[in-house]
Structures are given as C-alpha cells and as structure tokens.
Amino acid sequence: NAGVTQTPKFRVLKTGQSMTLLCAQDMNHEYMYWYRQDPGMGLRLIHYSVGEGTTAKGEVPDGYNVSRLKKQNFLLGLESAAPSQTSVYFCASSYSSTGKGQPQHFGDGTRLSIL
Amino acid sequence: AQKVTQAQTEISVVEKEDVTLDCVYETRDTTYYLFWYKQPPSGELVFLIRRNSFDEQNEISGRYSWNFQKSTSSFNFTITASQVVDSAVYFCALSEVLFSGGYQKVTFGTGTKLQVIP
C-alpha cells in the first residue's frame, strides 16, 4: 500500500526555471493538498482540491499553479522558480474534509532548492 | 481566526523519561477537530490522533496519552518512558467542523522537535 507518493524527492533549480511536482495517491481520496514547510513556520497550504477537476488557492498560492485532471494525481507547478520558493513541499490527501474529522495522509516530501 | 501555538521549539530528554508536548489553540468555533502528527527524521508526517471538541475524554495508546482541556484550550501530548524512536518533530493541528460541503481550513502549529538521548 503506497499511500501518497511524491516525485521527485530532491531537486535543485536555477532561478527562472520551471518544474512540476507530482503527487499520486492510491487511497481513492477526494481531497488533496499541497503544503510547504519552512523552518519555524510550520506547514502552510499552497493549493488544495476537493475533487477531480477542481482546485482552489490556499494561504500562499502566489508563484504556483496546480492541476487535478485525475482523482489520484495532484500536480504542483512552478512556472518561474524564485529563491523564496526553496522549501520542503508536502502533498497530502484525505478521504473527505478535515472538518469531518478526516486526518490527512502525507507523502514523504520534496526538497526543492532554488539557486 | 484560528491559531495553534506550540511554544516548545525543542525538547531534549534522556531515554525512559516522560515528556509532555504542549499545544494551545485559539478558535471562535465551538466545534472543531484537533490532530497530532509525528514527523520523524525520515521526513514524512504521520497521523497520530484526532479529537472532536465535544469529546473531552483523555486518550491513551500504549506509551502515548493525550490530555484535552477545553477550558484552557489545550491538547497536550505525553510520551511515557520515552524511547529513541520517539525522536521527531510533533505537530498539533486544528480544523473547524464542517456542516456543509467544501474545504475547512487546517491550521498547524510550528512543531516541537523532540530529541530522546540514549
């Protein structure tokens, strides 16, 4: 049972380059999320999706785009990477809303460095 | 607005000591969920426990126990007889209760790094 799988696990980019982070879950979860984790700031929500074909902005969406073309996949794109986007990125999924008590299941994270 | 405070940034204990991780929250809602997650050195976040604001019973799971006190807006986590494998960053999180469809914001604390020294 893979759970939530993120690829890649590590990446170094130059300023201005673009890339896509892939998140795949095999638990048939409706909700998916992208967070970034920075020292001393906990987890901050970038974008989320409440179902296939839907996405919405979280706390810190600027500089990122997402797509949820298939229920099991949630892609996070950086169109023009900036050093401020150096972070650890986590994808998560949940069966339904955390407001119904559903816990989030997290991937292993992607360490992204922007030079 | 929701807020979760984990005032202890780092804690070090010697193996077999008991340790309590504090979590204090703020919310205007009368109903909400609280969560604890563990992030071991390998990096992934692992769900530990969920608590509904209506249920103030404490919970024990092996060496882990949770003390929920609505009167003080706290949801503290105690590890009894700590082990090296308990070394991790622990996050407390808060979510409003959903009464309709859609997304409910989850607010995470900044985490407490626990180091258990052998």
Side-chain angles (χ1 to χ4, degrees), chain B residues 9 12-13 16-17 20 33 40 43 52 60 65 67 78 88 98 101 108:
Chain B
T9 306
S12 290
V13 298
K16 298 184 181 177
E17 286 185 346
T20 296
Y33 281 97
N52 183 304
I60 298 174
S65 62
N67 184 332
T78 297
L98 180 69
F108 284 84

Side-chain angles (χ1 to χ4, degrees), chain B residues 6-118:
Chain B
Q6 295 181 256
Q8 303 151 308
T9 306
E10 293 191 36
I11 302 175
S12 290
V13 298
V14 176
E15 199 170 22
K16 298 184 181 177
E17 286 185 346
D18 299 347
V19 59
T20 296
L21 310 182
D22 298 332
C23 174
V24 175
Y25 61 91
E26 295 176 27
T27 177
R28 296 177 187 172
D29 297 311
T30 56
T31 54
Y32 44 88
Y33 281 97
L34 293 161
F35 303 84
W36 273 97
Y37 291 88
K38 174 182 180 180
Q39 185 179 34
S42 52
E44 78 281 14
L45 279 88
V46 178
F47 165 69
L48 293 178
I49 191 172
R50 166 191 61 209
R51 172 65 67 216
N52 183 304
S53 57
F54 287 125
D55 182 2
E56 293 196 59
Q57 282 191 351
N58 293 330
E59 182 156 342
I60 298 174
S61 176
R63 296 184 296 107
Y64 295 173
S65 62
W66 290 269
N67 184 332
F68 175 42
Q69 292 194 341
K70 207 168 180 178
S71 60
T72 57
S73 297
S74 65
F75 186 40
N76 297 337
F77 173 30
T78 297
I79 301 175
T80 302
S82 59
Q83 299 177 3
V84 173
V85 293
D86 297 325
S87 296
V89 180
Y90 292 87
F91 290 93
C92 181
L94 167 69
S95 179
E96 299 166 336
V97 169
L98 180 69
F99 293 107
S100 60
Y103 165 76
Q104 295 300 101
K105 179 180 178 181
V106 181
T107 300
F108 284 84
T110 51
T112 297
K113 183 177 182 180
L114 173 65
Q115 184 177 15
V116 180
I117 303 166

Side-chain angles (χ1 to χ4, degrees), chain A residues 27-53:
Chain A
M27 297 172 284
N28 201 34
H29 284 173
E30 288 294 332
Y31 286 55
M32 296 188 76
Y33 317 80
W34 276 107
Y35 289 92
R36 58 178 291 172
Q37 183 181 27
D38 301 293
M41 302 192 74
L43 290 162
R44 293 184 292 168
L45 183 67
I46 304 171
H47 286 279
Y48 65 94
S49 168
V50 300
E52 180 180 325

